[in-house]
Amino acid sequence: MRARHAPLLAAMLSGRMESAVPNWFSIISPAGTREQLVRQSRSDDHLCPAPDSLPPALAGSHWQMLAVGVRNWPQQDPNRQVLLVQLLTQLGFHDTVAELVPRVTVRAGDPTGQQLAFEVARSGRLLDRKSKAPLRVFDWLTEHADHPSLRVSSAIQLASALTRAHRDHSTAISWIYRADQESTQLGIGPDWLWHLLRSRRHRVAALIAARGGDHGRSAEEMRSALDHDDRLADLAHDRFTRHYQRENRALVIEAFLKLDTITGRDSAPAGIVESATRVDAYDPDLRFTAGSYLAGRERWDQALVAFLAAADSGTIRGAVGAFRAGLCLQRLRRPEAARRAYRLCLDLDPVSISAAERLSAGATS
């Protein structure tokens, strides 16, 4: 998904596409993602701590444009600054974002500046989970942002952050209620955006319920998230809205698979794994989650296919996928194939202790 976000943002920066600020991508890359991929592909020449430190011979036109934009940050107009930050977050350059915007300031009557603050705060959350500064930005935006969608999105960010980091369920629920209140103002915007944000709201509410042990409520919230995504699919009419819907469907399906894997229940719609494949047959997180769901039901042959598809990505998640494929192969009494899977895991992640132990002990049936 991130690989599809970046070209759209680069095309807007280059002027080949009309600039769309705000835009509503959900996924951004954790810090270190790009470095992991570069090292696993044995392409260390592409390592760089910031965009403008990549050797010029390796930098394509879009990369050069990004590097120039970062170097000339003060001269960029506000819309371009938003796009630059969004592109940096797709690549995991959160240190660079922090250097460009060391202090977030927001004020009423400046919707583009508010969008920039929102994007910087999201980046700051991934750079330092313990920092309260991003939460203060989201708090201000929920109260004062000019754009209703930004108020709703900020409330959802707060609910998610409090649930994941602090397990503060009661406060997180209060932010879900606040998102509901602000959603009443979304009628002034396009219908597709209302359904996109409502789907995200229900997905976060499902996480809160699951963390609180209310698995029935969590499944109900996930079904609502999927219902809104179905409506979004009916309304997606251009490159952007179709992309938002595809990303959102992947996240909803992944969350549903995780919920049923944790609970051992079958609350997801029939054909959920097939739906995951249709959305993206190569996304390592989605394929790995599908594999875990199938393994939990002892469908070892199908789980093996999903884990090997995750392993094909060459990512850290792919390394874990290769290890889990080895476990499936042991269940299927195919020891030589299991050893190959563990060797693949070590190739993708040379410090995998579990794979090394399996190989040293001999992967047996």
Side-chain angles (χ1 to χ4, degrees):
M1 287 298 173
R2 299 178 195 104
R4 294 186 181 94
H5 295 344
L8 290 174
L9 295 167
M12 285 188 281
L13 276 171
S14 68
R16 290 191 296 105
M17 282 181 59
E18 183 179 354
S19 177
V21 176
N23 55 63
W24 303 106
F25 298 131
S26 180
I27 299 172
I28 60 178
S29 296
T33 299
R34 182 177 178 277
E35 180 181 355
Q36 290 172 357
L37 288 170
V38 169
R39 290 194 182 280
Q40 288 180 336
S41 65
R42 278 51 167 183
S43 303
D44 286 5
D45 289 346
H46 287 81
L47 288 172
C48 55
D52 58 358
S53 62
L54 187 70
L58 300 177
S61 59
H62 282 159
W63 192 278
Q64 293 171 5
M65 179 184 61
L66 173 63
V68 169
V70 169
R71 275 199 303 272
N72 300 317
W73 173 262
Q75 287 76 48
Q76 304 299 314
D77 68 58
N79 276 3
R80 285 182 66 82
Q81 287 185 339
V82 173
L83 293 173
L84 284 166
V85 168
Q86 289 181 322
L87 189 49
L88 289 168
T89 60
Q90 297 306 312
L91 298 167
F93 284 123
H94 302 294
D95 283 323
T96 302
V97 173
E99 291 171 5
L100 293 175
V101 191
R103 182 180 176 83
V104 176
T105 56
V106 284
R107 60 181 184 273
D110 180 16
T112 306
Q114 293 164 8
Q115 187 71 33
L116 178 63
F118 177 79
E119 302 298 345
V120 172
R122 287 213 303 160
S123 176
R125 279 273 302 143
L126 287 186
L127 186 62
D128 182 4
R129 293 286 190 183
K130 295 181 180 180
S131 174
K132 299 296 193 296
L135 304 185
R136 289 193 291 270
V137 173
F138 295 138
D139 195 337
W140 189 96
L141 290 170
T142 301
E143 183 72 26
H144 301 290
D146 292 28
H147 201 300
S149 300
L150 194 54
R151 296 198 297 271
V152 173
S153 295
S154 297
I156 292 172
Q157 288 286 329
L158 281 166
S160 176
L162 290 170
T163 302
R164 295 176 189 276
H166 308 293
R167 300 185 182 275
D168 187 348
H169 301 307
S170 60
T171 307
I173 291 171
S174 72
W175 286 114
I176 288 293
Y177 291 152
R178 184 58 182 270
D180 292 340
Q181 292 172 351
E182 297 299 335
S183 293
T184 61
Q185 302 297 317
L186 289 176
I188 64 175
D191 288 343
W192 65 262
L193 182 56
W194 189 82
H195 287 294
L196 174 63
L197 294 181
R198 293 303 292 173
S199 184
R200 290 178 181 175
R201 174 264 186 225
H202 285 293
R203 182 160 50 84
V204 172
L207 172 65
I208 296 170
R211 291 285 177 89
D214 190 345
H215 299 307
R217 176 60 182 271
S218 183
E220 182 182 331
E221 294 284 4
M222 285 307 307
R223 284 190 287 271
S224 295
L226 190 58
D227 287 343
H228 279 288
D229 188 77
D230 286 338
R231 297 294 303 278
L232 174 61
D234 293 337
L235 295 168
H237 62 280
D238 58 21
R239 187 176 182 182
F240 271 98
T241 52
R242 286 192 293 270
H243 186 79
Y244 296 147
Q245 192 273 326
R246 185 177 185 179
E247 176 194 58
N248 191 65
R249 179 61 62 99
L251 292 170
V252 170
I253 289 174
E254 184 180 5
F256 237 140
L257 288 167
K258 286 180 176 178
L259 174 65
D260 282 5
T261 300
I262 292 169
T263 63
R265 301 180 182 180
D266 289 311
S267 58
I272 188 73
V273 174
E274 292 74 13
S275 297
T277 304
R278 285 195 298 271
V279 170
D280 193 329
Y282 304 102
D283 182 280
D285 292 327
L286 197 55
R287 301 303 290 152
F288 181 87
T289 304
S292 299
Y293 170 88
L294 292 164
R297 283 147 182 79
E298 299 187 356
R299 291 154 65 179
W300 305 116
D301 284 311
Q302 294 170 282
L304 173 63
V305 172
F307 285 134
L308 288 176
D312 283 344
S313 68
T315 61
I316 288 294
R317 177 65 80 191
V320 183
F323 180 80
R324 295 288 296 276
L327 296 180
C328 289
L329 287 161
Q330 286 191 248
R331 291 277 190 171
L332 294 167
R333 299 185 181 279
R334 295 169 58 186
E336 183 54 41
R339 283 191 285 273
R340 288 196 298 271
Y342 294 135
R343 284 195 290 270
L344 174 58
C345 176
L346 280 173
D347 187 45
L348 295 173
D349 181 13
V351 297
S352 173
I353 297 173
S354 298
E357 288 176 346
R358 292 270 171 172
L359 285 170
S360 63
T364 66
S365 58

